[in-house]
Amino acid sequence: MYQNNIAFAKQLDQEDALKKFRLQFHIPLHNNKEVIYFTGNSLGLQPKTTTGYIQEELNDWAKYGVEAHFQAKKPWFSYHELLSEKAAKIVGALPSEVVLMNQLSVNIHLMMVSFYRPTAKRYKILCEAKAFPSDQYVLETQVKFHGFNPETSIVEVSPREEEHCIRTEDILSAIEKNKNELALVMIGGVNYYSGQVFDMKTITEAGHKAGAYVGFDLAHAAGNIKLELHNWNVDFAAWCSYKYLNSGPGSVSGIFVHQQHAHNDFPRFAGWWGHEKETRFLMQKGFKPMDGAEGWQLSNAPIFSMAAHLAALDVIDEAGMDALIAKSKKLSDYLEYVIDEIGEPLEIITPRNKNERGCQISIIAHGKGKDLFNKLTENGIIADWREPNVIRMAPVPLYNSFEDVFRFGEILKNSL
Ligand SMILES: *Cc1c(COP(=O)(O)O)cnc(C)c1O
């Protein structure tokens, strides 16, 4: 169905209903030519509208000073509310289940303060092996903080020998095996390394059946794949906004707390921005959390990074997640095809099953070292290298083209 030539790639671009969105992004240049940017899974590109959104807040700050909390065109006091509805759509949540605050690793800690409360009997956390390092450190130090031993408290599920992805059945049997001690299941919705999409619905059901809470790190999932956190009954989730959500380096993170926990009297680490809105400025003793995800906020909003996030969310909203996902599948399928056409020594480690992957394809270049990757870079490709020999590529539907994929294949072939 696919063809490995430029005319065919251009034809696909011609037929692409989302092709105009590429023009709404700044594409970095290499030797005065646009790069082939395949690292939207690491740092998404900048929408051209971002400057205007941030400038508006700078202007209101200049014009009103502190009064901008109420006088700004988009009052800072409630700025985060502008983001919740749009972010909720992306993760399949009710607006009240989502809030934007802090950064990702911080938010995972805050979520765990509420959802990981180990007892002598139930103290284990189940996660995927080789999770993103920050997540590993969060889990390790949370366990130690509660006085437990990471060696015996963290259950990691690995791929089977000779395999690169983790089988759902192996996750389910690990849950079953540890069900009496299991306090929390905490997995990355999409594994950052292999690009594997986990079956979050099935895992959530199994975790709940075992009597554990279930949460997901959606850093590589938000803005990438179809999410239905509310319907799946996920307890909590957190994600960053600078990968597929294009909101700039270190930009504000999102959290999800399921509605069923909205009024729950969870233990939490609190700050004034989570205190009920009506009495927040009375500055009185006694923390009274707002209902819903907002009750987990600590600090007043980082307006500039929220402005960048709002600019990016508006672009995604205009394109629509369903259309983006449809194009994303096609781009990744084409990339898979182009890599298969090259064949040896390349091995795709991302699932071949299209429902188990999003934007990303990861390959092992057997017998090839960093010099292969350096050649790609010299030829204007920005991809991602992981020692010893894995290359990750994310063709992103908002700004990557089928021509990008074809040209990438040519350069890769010539570099080998
Ligand atoms: C990108 C990423 C992070 C980064 O965390 P920050 O706190 O934003 O630096 C953490 N976890 C996962 C799974 C990631 O993909």
Side-chain angles (χ1 to χ4, degrees):
M1 142 188 196
Y2 290 116
Q3 295 172 26
N4 202 6
N5 60 64
I6 184 71
F8 181 80
K10 285 191 167 176
Q11 179 65 32
L12 289 181
D13 283 327
Q14 212 53 46
E15 294 162 3
D16 170 19
L18 298 178
K19 65 170 176 286
K20 68 165 187 173
F21 284 93
R22 179 182 175 92
L23 302 172
Q24 297 187 25
F25 285 84
H26 293 289
I27 315 272
L29 300 179
H30 174 83
N31 295 337
N32 290 320
K33 258 183 68 192
E34 286 182 346
V35 299
I36 297 175
Y37 194 81
F38 279 171
T39 37
N41 56 345
S42 195
L43 183 74
L45 290 180
Q46 183 187 143
K48 290 180 179 167
T49 47
T50 304
T51 309
Y53 281 65
I54 295 177
Q55 190 63 52
E56 184 180 320
E57 302 316 320
L58 285 168
N59 293 350
D60 282 345
W61 179 25
K63 194 163 158 198
Y64 300 114
V66 72
E67 299 294 330
H69 279 100
F70 298 98
Q71 308 265 325
K73 207 154 122 206
K74 303 185 180 100
W76 299 343
F77 175 74
S78 52
Y79 198 98
H80 68 274
E81 293 171 12
L82 299 173
L83 304 166
S84 301
E85 193 161 332
K86 289 167 185 164
K89 256 206 260 181
I90 291 171
V91 297
L94 307 173
S96 62
E97 292 174 322
V98 168
V99 80
L100 284 296
M101 60 181 206
N102 312 314
Q103 285 162 293
L104 176 55
S105 302
V106 172
N107 283 342
I108 303 174
H109 272 301
L110 292 174
M111 291 289 92
M112 287 184 71
V113 167
S114 295
F115 290 95
Y116 178 60
R117 288 168 289 153
T119 63
K121 240 185 113 311
R122 267 190 194 276
Y123 57 92
K124 288 187 180 174
I125 304 175
L126 187 136
C127 66
E128 87 262 42
K130 289 215 199 141
F132 193 88
S134 199
D135 301 48
Q136 293 186 35
Y137 307 148
V138 169
L139 298 189
E140 176 193 330
T141 55
Q142 281 276 342
V143 165
K144 283 185 179 164
F145 175 77
H146 287 285
F148 290 83
N149 178 357
E151 294 284 318
T152 49
S153 305
I154 300 177
V155 180
E156 292 188 352
V157 187
S158 303
R160 295 186 187 181
E161 201 130 357
E162 306 287 319
E163 294 183 10
H164 298 290
C165 297
I166 301 169
R167 297 189 189 197
T168 306
E169 63 200 88
D170 290 350
I171 296 176
L172 299 183
S173 63
I175 290 175
E176 175 65 23
K177 199 170 141 223
N178 293 283
K179 68 180 175 199
N180 294 327
E181 301 92 45
L182 201 58
L184 177 67
V185 176
M186 168 85 205
I187 293 184
V190 176
N191 181 267
Y192 81 102
Y193 188 78
S194 65
Q196 177 181 13
V197 174
F198 290 104
D199 184 345
M200 288 176 255
K201 180 168 184 271
T202 303
I203 292 168
T204 304
E205 273 168 19
H208 285 166
K209 220 176 110 205
Y213 283 124
V214 181
F216 293 99
D217 181 334
L218 301 177
H220 283 263
N224 174 11
I225 58 166
K226 181 91 180 155
L227 294 167
E228 295 186 67
L229 299 182
H230 178 85
N231 290 339
W232 295 340
N233 277 317
V234 171
D235 293 296
F236 70 92
W239 58 93
C240 55
S241 64
Y242 51 80
K243 292 175 178 167
Y244 293 103
L245 297 176
N246 310 317
S247 302
S251 194
V252 67
S253 155
I255 64 156
F256 164 90
V257 178
H258 198 280
Q259 191 185 30
Q260 66 188 332
H261 305 307
H263 312 286
N264 206 324
D265 204 11
F266 273 103
R268 61 184 102 193
F269 288 168
W272 70 323
W273 230 250
H275 188 86
E276 60 174 32
K277 234 166 40 180
E278 297 70 31
T279 57
R280 186 186 298 153
F281 288 99
L282 298 181
M283 310 297 218
Q284 285 168 340
K285 256 195 195 310
F287 175 69
K288 296 204 191 87
M290 298 172 78
D291 283 344
E294 287 182 312
W296 270 268
Q297 297 174 105
L298 271 72
S299 297
N300 76 94
I303 296 298
F304 302 133
S305 77
M306 283 193 175
H309 193 29
L310 186 59
L313 288 175
D314 281 344
V315 177
I316 292 174
D317 208 38
E318 192 192 335
M321 268 318 291
D322 288 343
L324 287 170
I325 289 167
K327 178 176 171 187
S328 159
K329 284 190 183 298
K330 229 168 147 180
L331 274 173
S332 285
D333 288 358
Y334 190 43
L335 179 57
E336 177 184 38
Y337 163 83
V338 163
I339 291 167
D340 282 341
E341 286 280 291
I342 301 171
E344 299 272 321
L346 306 178
E347 180 194 359
I348 292 180
I349 62 169
T350 303
R352 292 288 185 166
N353 178 345
K354 300 171 197 330
N355 296 320
E356 285 179 38
R357 68 184 188 214
C359 277
Q360 176 183 339
I361 302 278
S362 299
I363 56 176
I364 296 181
H366 289 286
K368 298 285 166 184
K370 189 81 191 280
D371 55 321
L372 167 67
F373 184 75
N374 291 342
K375 272 190 206 150
L376 297 179
T377 311
E378 282 159 24
N379 283 288
I381 292 171
I382 304 191
D384 181 78
W385 176 262
R386 295 284 139 163
E387 295 292 343
N389 55 2
V390 168
I391 307 176
R392 305 186 301 164
M393 288 83 60
V396 172
L398 270 172
Y399 47 75
N400 283 122
S401 64
F402 293 91
E403 186 178 337
D404 279 345
V405 173
F406 169 76
R407 286 177 45 221
F408 168 79
E410 290 294 284
I411 295 168
L412 181 59
K413 194 164 52 189
N414 293 333
S415 304
L416 285 165

